[in-house]
Amino acid sequence: MPFASIRYLLLATAFASLPAAAVDLEKGKEINGTCAACHGEFGGGGKKGEYPRIAGQQVKHLESQLKSFRARTRVNIPMFPYTQERELSDEDIKDVSAYLAGIELPTKMPEFKGHEDALTRLQMVEKVMIIPRAEGDIEQGGKLYQKQCASCHGKAGKGRGMFPMLVGQYTNYLKRQVDLFLKADRPHDEEGTVGVLNGLKEKDIQDILAYLTSIQEPKE
Ligand code: HEC
Ligand code: HEC
């Protein structure tokens, strides 16, 4: 019965695309009020990457990082008090992660239509996030990235599922994380010091970081 099974399939996919437990985006926004002190109102981060961008990041990555801060498997001293059980339950983590993942930060200055008020205009400009070009050999970095990183972080660097977005993140922050991975202070793709990053030279990493700043959309 091909028709019946197609109908069943359509129904099944319709249900599958519903979130497992309803997330409360309003609650997420409210929780983000606490995060904003460091990561900014729209999750754009700040202090040149001392506080990473968390807006538009993969939801699974946000959830897993918050859980590992709480469990102290990823050390984050400034954030530890906020992630304590009392502060962030599993449900709160779901809500704030979904809220943050849904924030889009444009990479070009907005074109005003003329009817926006001053506050709206200010907010539109504040949301723009462009990472300055990092120095390095973009062509070489591109080759390395597509060969060694794209399988997990995606061809365009946007990440997917548990694999975080790298494009649009502060170069300083990414560099600091690579250093932590190399020292095995934070697990990357493999436990310890045998992962993909450990096979790269310092220049390779710089070239990859330069490449990542060159593929922000739209291309300049
Ligand atoms: C007191 C400052 C502070 C507050 C408040 C804070 N954070 Fe952070 N957060 C940090 C710092 C610093 C880092 C980077 C740690 C590092 O370099 O490894 C970070 C990292 C993160 C990361 C990891 C990003 C990545 O891509 O790996 C996530 C996710 C995050 N914060 C979410 C939140 C959320 C959600 C809240 C609110 C519930 C919050 N933070 C509140 C300072 C803060
Ligand atoms: C096998 C899959 C895989 C490959 C290949 C891979 N990564 Fe990752 N990467 C991950 C995972 C998983 C994480 C998140 C780790 C965690 O949960 O803390 C990550 C996190 C990162 C982060 C930290 C991002 C953040 O927001 O905290 C950086 C930087 C990074 N990877 C760079 C690279 C580079 C550069 C390459 C290529 C040389 C690469 N990765 C290849 C799986 C991979």
Side-chain angles (χ1 to χ4, degrees):
M1 313 171 291
F3 288 115
S5 48
I6 285 171
R7 234 174 80 196
Y8 174 72
L9 202 76
L10 285 176
L11 266 175
T13 32
F15 280 117
S17 61
L18 288 173
V23 286
D24 186 340
L25 293 177
E26 271 308 308
K27 182 83 189 301
K29 187 176 181 180
E30 194 188 305
I31 298 168
N32 186 52
T34 325
C35 321
C38 294
H39 293 281
E41 184 186 351
F42 307 113
K47 289 206 178 165
K48 297 196 173 126
E50 186 180 327
Y51 303 124
R53 166 192 185 155
I54 49 178
Q57 182 54 276
Q58 294 292 334
V59 68
K60 284 215 175 92
H61 176 71
L62 295 171
E63 288 177 4
S64 75
Q65 299 311 299
L66 289 169
K67 286 183 181 163
S68 48
F69 292 147
R70 194 173 68 187
R72 289 201 171 195
T73 48
R74 179 176 169 194
V75 180
N76 186 339
I77 294 163
M79 268 184 66
F80 185 65
Y82 302 91
T83 51
Q84 284 287 58
E85 199 74 55
R86 196 162 34 84
E87 298 274 346
L88 279 188
S89 63
D90 285 358
E91 209 175 308
D92 289 347
I93 287 181
K94 262 198 161 35
D95 292 344
V96 74
S97 299
Y99 173 71
L100 288 164
I103 301 179
E104 258 181 71
L105 302 180
T107 48
K108 69 173 194 200
M109 280 298 168
E111 282 167 29
F112 297 119
K113 304 231 155 47
H115 52 68
E116 304 88 351
D117 58 33
L119 183 65
T120 311
R121 285 186 182 212
L122 191 69
Q123 287 197 333
M124 284 166 83
V125 171
E126 267 176 356
K127 273 191 164 181
V128 174
M129 184 156 174
I130 305 163
I131 304 294
R133 285 288 184 105
E135 266 183 59
D137 183 338
I138 291 173
E139 202 180 316
Q140 183 60 20
K143 280 189 198 144
L144 282 169
Y145 179 84
Q146 293 303 336
K147 195 160 156 237
Q148 305 214 39
C149 320
S151 59
C152 291
H153 293 284
K155 276 196 179 346
K158 301 257 169 74
R160 66 189 158 82
M162 65 181 285
F163 304 117
M165 158 187 92
L166 302 178
V167 161
Q169 182 59 277
Y170 293 95
T171 304
N172 280 347
Y173 177 74
L174 295 176
K175 178 82 182 49
R176 206 163 69 235
Q177 300 310 309
V178 169
D179 291 343
L180 290 173
F181 292 138
L182 290 176
K183 288 193 292 177
D185 281 351
R186 184 183 163 192
H188 186 249
D189 54 321
E190 300 277 351
E191 286 294 328
T193 53
V194 291
V196 55
L197 295 168
N198 298 84
L200 296 172
K201 297 189 196 69
E202 210 174 311
K203 182 186 176 297
D204 296 337
I205 290 172
Q206 189 56 42
D207 292 345
I208 292 174
L209 294 176
Y211 171 70
L212 289 171
T213 61
S214 78
I215 56 168
Q216 296 171 85
E217 282 170 351
K219 285 212 172 139
E220 305 120 275

